[in-house]
């Protein structure tokens, strides 16, 4: 039946259409066309018609669908995919009589059967040109063709044999076919995971709550003082620190305080300076220093007061504050304090702690240690043979185009003008597509054959991370040295070189180096 008309693809806005052109002398059933236009029939493609050049064009919306032929170019159908296809075909057969449509109007050809990527839900083309009904014969022929042409993957069981026996049964009905297909799609008892038994704890295994026990006191808590003193690690306060050490610590903890004598001297100096300031002020007033043309000069008075105030602040800080915080002559004296006789090194040279050692004895112990260190045998060096191989030797002069005959020398690794590493530029013998993703340059290499691009990883060769890109959006085809792009009924279309007109679906458009290809909202540059 499909040989009576021709098919091609057209695009309009964001939709792709499969167009069937009926010849002028072909019988056209108008009421069936009205049924297709006014109803959404299960598993049938939406259709509309228009007349051009005395021929009827029927447009079927195939947006976001792939033809079964395109799917089978990559792989054979799995068991669940074929069952979904067969179930959809049986449901479409069941719906047709309700709309007064004939079973013979279904086009059961791989190029005109469309499925959704992932779910494999089928949609069929209906041509309103036949009245007679052929029953299930068309369905039987389609299933036999799929099996004979090995369109179904081997499942390792008798699934294909069951399908053949089912479609060859003369008493087969649509209801029985749907029941059998649904039963085959359900997992068998052997494939279902065994239910895990729920373990109930035994009565005797249930822990009984107990009251927490009180913490036990230490072993020496109730012992007399004399026994606690004999416990290892227990030290009496009177024995923990020697008397002299306690006195030194007490002296160290005491902060230096200025004496009354020093405080009185600082106060005397400060008051003397204040007296000098008062005398200077009186002399200035008497001599008329603050007068200008018989009137007081405010600027002179303000300058004098500022100078006096600054002098008082400096004197007060140096005479009182610095002495209280410990700065000044006390630190200098402490810094210039000479170390006592018999330093720490001399006292500990003999290895005895807690006992002061005379200087002569300490020096003798230090000299004894130095002598012992000089007389000790030198560290044993690792064994080296007399004729050890030399791994690093001066390399001969390098010449371009001549490979060295021995390993690279250590001097060569040190780096030099003639030892620069040459960066190998990446070269591509095949064409590729280049685009940006999150600021990074991404490339799609176009090898021999077909490279499929889309947003569903299980159905394409390269995934584009965009929700506006269809699951299977486009294909890039390489034929020798020529490259083509083909839109696969995408929703948002494929555009070339900035054009606002999307390319026609399922048509091969040749690419040239530098062409800009836009898939929905992603721009790719073709390079070769």
């Amino acid at each position: 039946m499909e040989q009576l008309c021709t098919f091609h693809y057209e695009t309009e806005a964001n939709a792709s259409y499969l167009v069937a052109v009926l010849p002028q002398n072909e019988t056209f059933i108008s009421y069936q066309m009205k049924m297709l236009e006014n109803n959404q029939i299960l598993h049938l493609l939406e259709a509309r018609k228009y007349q051009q050049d005395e021929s009827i064009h029927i447009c079927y919306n195939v947006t976001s669908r792939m033809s079964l032929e395109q799917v089978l170019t990559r792989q054979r159908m799995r068991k669940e995919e074929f069952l979904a296809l067969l179930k959809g075909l049986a449901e479409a057969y069941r719906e047709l009589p309700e709309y007064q449509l004939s079973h013979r109007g279904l086009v059961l050809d791989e190029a005109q059967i469309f499925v959704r990527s992932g779910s494999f839900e089928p949609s069929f083309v209906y041509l309103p040109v036949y009245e007679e009904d052929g029953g299930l014969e068309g369905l039987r022929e389609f299933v036999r063709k799929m099996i004979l042409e090995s369109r179904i993957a081997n499942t390792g069981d008798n699934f294909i044999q069951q399908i053949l026996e089912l479609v060859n049964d003369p008493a087969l009905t649509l209801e029985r076919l749907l029941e059998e297909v649904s039963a085959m799609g359900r997992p068998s008892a052997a494939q279902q995971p065994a239910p895990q038994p729920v373990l109930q704890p035994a009565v005797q295994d249930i822990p009984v709550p107990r009251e927490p026990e009180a913490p036990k006191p230490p072993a020496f808590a109730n012992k007399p003082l004399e026994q606690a003193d004999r416990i290892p690690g227990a030290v009496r306060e009177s024995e923990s620190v020697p008397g002299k050490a306690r006195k030194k610590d007490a002296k160290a903890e005491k902060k230096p305080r200025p004496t009354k004598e020093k405080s009185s001297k600082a106060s005397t100096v400060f008051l003397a300076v204040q007296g000098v300031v008062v005398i200077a002020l009186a002399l200035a007033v008497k001599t008329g220093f603050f007068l200008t043309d018989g009137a007081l000069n405010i600027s002179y008075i303000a300058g004098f007061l500022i100078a006096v105030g600054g002098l008082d602040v400096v004197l007060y800080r140096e005479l009182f504050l610095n002495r209280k915080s410990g700065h000044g002559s006390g630190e200098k004296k402490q810094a210039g304090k000479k170390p006592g006789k018999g330093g720490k090194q001399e006292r500990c040279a003999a290895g005895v702690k807690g006992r002061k050692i005379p200087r002569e004895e300490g020096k003798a112990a230090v000299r004894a240690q130095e002598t012992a260190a000089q007389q000790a045998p030198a560290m044993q060096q690792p064994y080296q043979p007399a004729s050890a191989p030399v791994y690093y030797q001066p390399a001969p002069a390098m010449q371009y185009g001549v490979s060295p005959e021995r390993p690279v020398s250590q001097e060569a690794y040190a780096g030099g003008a003639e030892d620069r590493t040459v960066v190998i530029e990446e070269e591509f013998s095949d064409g590729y597509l280049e685009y940006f993703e999150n600021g990074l340059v991404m490339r799609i290499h176009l090898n021999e054959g077909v490279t499929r691009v889309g947003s569903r990883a299980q159905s394409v060769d390269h995934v584009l991370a965009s929700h506006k890109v269809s699951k299977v959006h486009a294909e890039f085809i390489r034929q020798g040295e020529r490259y083509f792009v083909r839109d696969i009924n995408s929703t948002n279309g494929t555009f070339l070189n900035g054009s606002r007109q999307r390319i026609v679906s399922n048509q091969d458009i040749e690419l040239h180096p530098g062409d800009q290809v836009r898939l929905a909202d992603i721009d790719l540059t073709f390079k070769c």
Side-chain angles (χ1 to χ4, degrees), residues 29 59 70 128 163 165 168 186 192 260 274 290 316 319 325 354 381 394 407 411 415 423-424 446 462-464 484 509:
I29 305 175
C59 301
Q70 292 173 332
I163 292 294
E165 293 178 358
N168 290 331
R186 292 192 294 267
Q192 293 180 352
K260 293 183 179 180
Q274 300 303 317
F290 298 111
Y316 184 80
L319 294 176
S325 59
Q381 300 294 334
E411 289 79 3
V423 179
I424 300 176
L446 305 180
H462 187 88
V463 178
L464 296 178
F484 303 87
I509 308 298

Side-chain angles (χ1 to χ4, degrees), residues 132-147:
E132 61 180 271
D133 194 348
L136 298 179
E137 189 59 31
L139 186 149
R140 298 175 194 268
E141 292 178 0
F142 174 74
V143 174
R144 295 191 192 105
K145 180 183 177 182
M146 292 290 103
I147 295 176

Side-chain angles (χ1 to χ4, degrees), residues 61-72:
N61 192 343
V62 295
T63 307
S64 299
R65 293 178 175 88
M66 295 181 63
S67 66
L68 184 61
E69 183 181 32
Q70 292 173 332
V71 174
L72 295 178

Side-chain angles (χ1 to χ4, degrees), residues 60 64 79 108 141 208 254 262 276-277 363 383 408 419 425 441:
Y60 301 93
S64 299
K79 176 181 177 180
L108 299 182
E141 292 178 0
V208 179
K254 292 182 180 180
K262 293 181 180 180
V276 172
V277 170
K363 290 183 178 181
Y383 170 75
V408 181
D419 299 316
E425 296 184 358
V441 179

Side-chain angles (χ1 to χ4, degrees), residues 125-363:
V125 172
Y126 186 90
L127 287 177
V129 294
Y130 277 97
E131 288 186 0
E132 61 180 271
D133 194 348
L136 298 179
E137 189 59 31
L139 186 149
R140 298 175 194 268
E141 292 178 0
F142 174 74
V143 174
R144 295 191 192 105
K145 180 183 177 182
M146 292 290 103
I147 295 176
L148 292 177
E149 294 181 358
S150 300
R151 298 302 192 183
I152 308 171
N154 187 11
T155 58
D157 53 11
N158 59 345
F159 167 69
I160 296 178
Q161 183 65 28
Q162 292 177 1
I163 292 294
L164 278 176
E165 293 178 358
L166 183 63
V167 298
N168 290 331
D169 187 0
L172 180 64
T173 61
L174 285 175
E175 298 301 331
R176 180 188 169 194
L177 177 62
L178 288 172
E179 291 178 2
E180 294 288 343
V181 170
S182 300
M184 293 179 186
R186 292 192 294 267
S188 60
Q191 296 176 350
Q192 293 180 352
Q196 298 293 334
V198 180
L199 300 179
Q200 298 291 341
V203 177
Q204 59 271 17
D205 295 336
I206 300 177
V208 179
R210 298 181 179 179
E211 297 181 358
E213 298 180 358
K216 296 182 180 180
F220 57 87
N222 299 325
K223 292 183 178 181
L225 182 60
E226 292 77 7
Q227 296 182 5
D229 292 341
R230 290 194 294 271
I231 296 176
V235 182
R236 291 185 179 181
E237 183 180 357
S238 59
E239 298 178 357
S240 58
V241 182
K244 293 183 179 180
R246 287 200 304 271
K247 292 181 180 180
K248 292 181 180 180
D249 293 342
K251 291 181 180 180
E253 291 178 358
K254 292 182 180 180
K255 296 182 180 180
R257 299 179 181 177
T259 59
K260 293 183 179 180
E261 183 180 358
K262 293 181 180 180
S263 299
S264 61
K265 288 183 180 180
S267 300
T268 303
V269 172
F270 186 76
L271 293 176
V273 172
Q274 300 303 317
V276 172
V277 170
V278 171
I279 295 172
L281 178 61
L283 291 176
V285 172
K286 185 176 181 181
T287 57
F289 177 77
F290 298 111
L291 298 177
T292 303
D293 297 333
L296 289 176
N297 193 331
I298 303 301
S299 60
Y300 288 176
I301 297 175
F304 182 81
L305 294 177
I306 292 173
V308 171
L311 179 63
D312 289 344
V313 169
V314 172
L315 286 176
Y316 184 80
R317 182 180 61 185
E318 294 295 331
L319 294 176
F320 298 98
L321 297 182
N322 288 347
R323 290 181 179 275
K324 290 182 179 181
S325 59
H327 299 289
S329 59
E331 287 186 354
K332 294 180 181 179
K333 292 181 180 180
Q334 186 176 0
K337 184 180 180 180
K338 295 182 181 180
K341 297 182 180 181
K344 182 178 181 181
Q345 183 179 2
E346 296 178 357
R347 292 198 308 269
C348 300
V352 180
K353 297 181 181 180
R355 183 174 63 88
K356 189 173 180 180
I357 301 175
R359 176 179 293 183
E360 292 76 9
E361 185 178 352
K363 290 183 178 181

